[in-house]
Amino acid sequence: MARLKVGVLISGRGSNLQALIDACAAPDFPAEIALVLSNRADAGGLTRAQEAGIATAVVPHRDFGERPLFDAAIGKVLKEAGIELVCLAGFMRVLGDAFVESWRDRLINIHPSLLPAFPGLHTHERALEAGVRFTGCTVHYVRTAVDDGPIIIQAAVPVLPGDDADLLAERVLTAEHRAYPLALRLIAEGRIKVVGNRALVEGSYAAPAIGLNPPDGP
Ligand code: GRF
């Protein structure tokens, strides 16, 4: 079976990229990372890609006066690499409408909250401030509004007494590293169908257990 050719866009440390690299290392995984592209030459994730023998590209946003020119440059590199699906993994630039539309349903993102709660930045601080009992992460198709689009997978983690933003971020990040490879696998297996604003999963699966926080009992 031909493996889905994935391009991963990063700006930083690339721990989600690493989770995807590790998943793709399994011989039966239905996707392969053909390119890692960063807008920053110093992104730690570039080293992870190089160590895994994956092609890298740096497209510095500062080299382009206007966003559409930057977007077009990225699009060209992705096309030349034969990329079929783009995964945003800590990519800190907002992509313009034309780019997003040209990759419609072939462009996904991971966000560190249970969308539609807490789109944007500082999600963990805002979750703590709001006093929610659960937060988590969302992998979703990208639409032109920021952190919007059909939800492929979510993972919930509890907010615990004594949490600060760093502790919560760490717990959510562990969930991200499970969720992103799973979303990629579902897409690469052709099991996700976008209908309107929903991403439907084909095939049945067992309902996850109810999460109760605080728990019932000691
Ligand atoms: C993650 O929390 C991701 O959800 C958000 O940016 C962060 C990237 O972290 N979009 P890393 O570079 O994957 O470690």
Side-chain angles (χ1 to χ4, degrees):
M1 193 187 75
R3 308 215 291 167
L4 187 71
K5 288 185 87 170
V6 173
V8 183
L9 267 53
I10 61 166
S11 300
R13 68 190 162 181
S15 73
N16 278 288
L17 165 67
Q18 188 68 54
L20 296 174
I21 290 173
D22 294 346
C24 289
D28 60 348
F29 197 80
E32 64 178 310
I33 302 173
L35 179 73
V36 172
L37 186 154
S38 174
N39 63 310
R40 300 179 56 107
D42 61 354
L46 290 170
T47 310
R48 297 177 189 268
Q50 283 150 8
E51 280 170 3
I54 298 168
T56 59
V58 176
V59 182
H61 58 276
R62 290 190 207 288
D63 290 1
F64 301 87
E66 294 165 40
R67 187 161 67 192
L69 298 176
F70 172 64
D71 289 358
I74 290 179
K76 188 165 176 279
V77 175
L78 293 170
K79 289 261 156 59
E80 282 169 2
I83 298 305
E84 298 168 293
L85 179 80
V86 177
C87 296
L88 305 181
F91 185 65
M92 298 308 285
R93 307 301 301 175
V94 174
L95 295 160
D97 293 2
F99 182 94
V100 169
E101 283 308 328
S102 71
W103 287 92
R104 190 180 178 86
D105 296 344
R106 296 182 301 142
L107 173 62
I108 65 175
N109 179 44
I110 186 155
H111 180 76
S113 77
L114 293 173
L115 291 172
F118 313 124
L121 298 174
H122 309 298
T123 54
H124 307 304
E125 286 86 347
R126 288 156 64 208
L128 288 167
E129 179 71 19
V132 295
R133 290 284 189 234
F134 285 95
T135 184
C137 65
T138 304
V139 183
H140 63 98
Y141 287 103
V142 175
R143 293 293 183 259
T144 52
V146 173
D147 298 326
D148 181 43
I151 291 169
I152 301 155
I153 186 169
Q154 292 186 307
V157 304
V159 179
L160 299 177
D163 271 354
D164 59 19
D166 289 344
L167 281 170
L168 194 51
E170 204 176 305
R171 195 174 307 121
V172 171
L173 200 60
T174 303
E176 293 184 40
H177 297 160
R178 289 184 61 191
Y180 217 171
L182 179 52
L184 178 56
R185 181 156 67 77
L186 290 171
I187 292 171
E189 287 175 351
R191 290 181 57 195
I192 304 290
K193 193 164 125 196
V194 179
V195 179
N197 199 35
R198 299 176 67 200
L200 307 181
V201 184
E202 295 187 333
S204 61
Y205 57 92
I210 183 173
L212 199 58
N213 182 26
D216 178 14

